[in-house]
Amino acid sequence: MFQTKISTDIARAAALLRQGEVVAIPTETVYGLAGNALDDQAVVKIFEAKNRPTFNPLIVHTGSVEQIRTFVQEIPPLGERLIEAFMPGPLTLLLPKSDKIPDLVTAGSGKVAIRMPNHPLTLALLRSLDFPLAAPSANPSGYISPTTAQHVFDQLQGKIPYILDGGTCQVGLESTIVGWNEAGEALVYRVGGLSVEKLEEVCGQKLPILTHHEAKSPQTAGQLLSHYAPETPLMLGKPELLLSTYGREKAACLTFDSLIGDFPEAQQRVLAPDGNYATAARNLFAFLRDLDAGNYRIIYAEELPEEGLGRAINDRLRRARFENKLLGKAGGEAWEE
Ligand code: TXA
Ligand code: MG
């Protein structure tokens, strides 16, 4: 057991990481649970603290493009353009790994997921270390990702020595993962904090999005079905319709930009009163946690238009749905992350 400390001291975080300890770090997407990616013992501690199955690989975080080059075999021309346009930022690239990256980090896969987070504290931390950081989201496996240091503390207190406090995550959704299939075509493996529209603008082409129906195994990036899930059952659709179909008693509503007129305000959260998807993304996980703590029978969440970050928000809400949890419990095709 640790006395978990929350503070902003980069040197302290770096010292712990050099000793092989696991430290929670802020990023612009969500908080990560970081350890020395080149040290198997540190990586094992990450899996343990999160209670994550070791078949599910970890993203490697670096502070420089030069480092990325040493961790992969090659970067396709399109990858170079994406690095140039979006790193540091909410983008992860899935590339053939070099021998430097241990098999434990990639769960035995020949590909490594790499990203350069855009957060001043974490960039400074990464640049002060001579090794990269393996880091999954800093939630217990299966739960919603944390977007504040307090979220991390609430769930991992005692399991890790230190949480580097970088405030509220400004993007609020995990990074978008792009990789290449065997035919060399670029694909979106996980929709996330960087919209597909922005990616396509830089690529000058359409990018197919892999859905979990197409994914052949849970090892495929971001494709575990039940992820980001609250304990409270959640249904997705039009909240007014869900209220009238499934009942108002002990229900909570999570809407996009406006309150539902004839329903108690205290039982509602509006993701983006300003109507911006970015605001909705930033609030999503905090509001889900908040509603999850409210002893509700059910959460009715509004489905957003499938555009911009609305697509990634819908993706997370779909994975949070009750049916997925049931499938998981029945030992069906659902996997928990
Ligand atoms: O924004 C983010 O990406 C956050 C912050 C902390 O950087 N990290 C994050 O990590 O969301 P995690 O572990 O919660 O989700 C990473 C996803 C998982 O679905 C994992 O299976 C996939 O990426 N992944 C990681 N490495 C992979 C690899 N080598 N091959 C295939 N999938 C991989
Ligand atoms: Mg995660």
Side-chain angles (χ1 to χ4, degrees):
M1 284 288 278
F2 292 102
Q3 263 311 25
T4 307
K5 199 165 177 261
I6 307 183
S7 188
T8 56
D9 186 351
I10 296 173
R12 179 80 192 116
L16 285 163
L17 289 163
R18 285 191 196 102
Q19 287 161 28
E21 289 300 340
V22 166
V23 167
I25 56 165
T27 83
E28 80 282 34
T29 59
V30 299
Y31 275 73
L33 197 59
N36 180 349
L38 309 183
D39 172 357
D40 276 357
Q41 282 180 25
V43 174
V44 164
K45 285 184 190 170
I46 300 174
F47 283 106
E48 282 174 358
K50 216 185 128 88
N51 203 10
R52 175 170 175 140
T54 48
F55 65 70
N56 193 5
L58 308 178
I59 296 177
V60 172
H61 297 66
T62 81
S64 80
V65 176
E66 296 78 74
Q67 259 204 354
I68 294 179
R69 297 191 194 291
T70 69
F71 299 141
V72 303
Q73 286 173 27
E74 57 173 345
I75 303 175
L78 195 63
E80 294 285 0
R81 296 228 299 276
L82 294 176
I83 288 173
E84 168 78 27
F86 300 116
M87 289 200 188
L91 172 69
T92 294
L93 293 183
L94 199 52
L95 292 164
K97 79 177 195 73
S98 75
D99 293 342
K100 280 203 174 166
I101 300 293
D103 290 331
L104 187 60
V105 172
T106 66
S109 160
K111 287 184 184 170
V112 61
I114 297 210
R115 102 174 191 89
M116 197 194 301
N118 191 15
H119 189 290
L121 281 189
T122 292
L123 273 179
L125 172 68
L126 284 165
R127 287 166 185 168
S128 76
L129 298 169
D130 58 8
F131 49 83
L133 295 175
S137 50
N139 49 286
S141 195
Y143 200 67
I144 304 159
S145 295
T147 52
T148 67
Q150 187 64 43
H151 290 164
V152 181
F153 186 83
D154 289 346
Q155 293 189 298
L156 295 181
Q157 169 188 5
K159 295 194 168 168
I160 55 174
Y162 198 74
I163 300 169
L164 186 62
D165 188 353
T168 301
C169 300
Q170 287 305 299
V171 174
L173 294 173
E174 300 85 351
S175 60
T176 300
I177 304 180
V178 173
W180 284 262
N181 64 15
E182 269 142 45
E185 293 155 345
L187 290 180
V188 176
Y189 285 85
R190 175 174 76 179
V191 290
L194 178 63
S195 73
V196 176
E197 286 86 344
K198 281 194 180 158
L199 275 170
E200 289 178 341
E201 211 177 289
V202 166
C203 293
Q205 65 182 68
K206 283 270 166 204
L207 289 184
I209 302 170
L210 197 79
T211 66
H212 66 254
H213 300 295
E214 292 149 1
K216 289 198 186 62
S217 77
Q219 277 101 320
T220 312
Q223 295 300 335
L224 295 186
L225 187 52
S226 175
H227 186 196
Y228 327 100
E231 298 298 329
T232 314
L234 181 143
M235 296 176 88
L236 185 61
K238 290 195 193 323
E240 285 95 337
L241 201 63
L242 292 168
L243 276 168
S244 62
T245 312
Y246 298 100
R248 306 162 68 93
E249 196 206 334
K250 289 187 74 187
C253 290
L254 183 68
T255 55
F256 176 39
D257 59 0
S258 49
L259 286 166
I260 294 164
D262 59 349
F263 189 66
E265 242 186 272
Q267 288 162 241
Q268 302 192 52
R269 296 292 178 282
V270 179
L271 285 170
D274 62 6
N276 286 327
Y277 293 130
T279 310
R282 196 177 305 129
N283 289 328
L284 179 68
F285 291 153
F287 286 8
L288 277 175
R289 275 175 189 262
D290 182 25
L291 290 178
D292 203 17
N295 269 315
Y296 291 107
R297 175 181 59 92
I298 186 126
I299 299 168
Y300 301 131
E302 181 171 356
E303 193 160 20
L304 272 57
E306 281 286 311
E307 60 179 22
L309 292 180
R311 200 180 276 125
I313 294 169
N314 285 340
D315 172 86
R316 300 307 188 264
L317 288 171
R318 277 181 204 123
R319 289 167 202 254
R321 271 189 309 200
F322 190 43
E323 303 91 276
N324 290 344
K325 282 218 118 147
L326 287 180
L327 265 176
K329 287 208 177 93
E333 54 159 302
W335 296 79
E336 293 215 55
E337 188 161 353

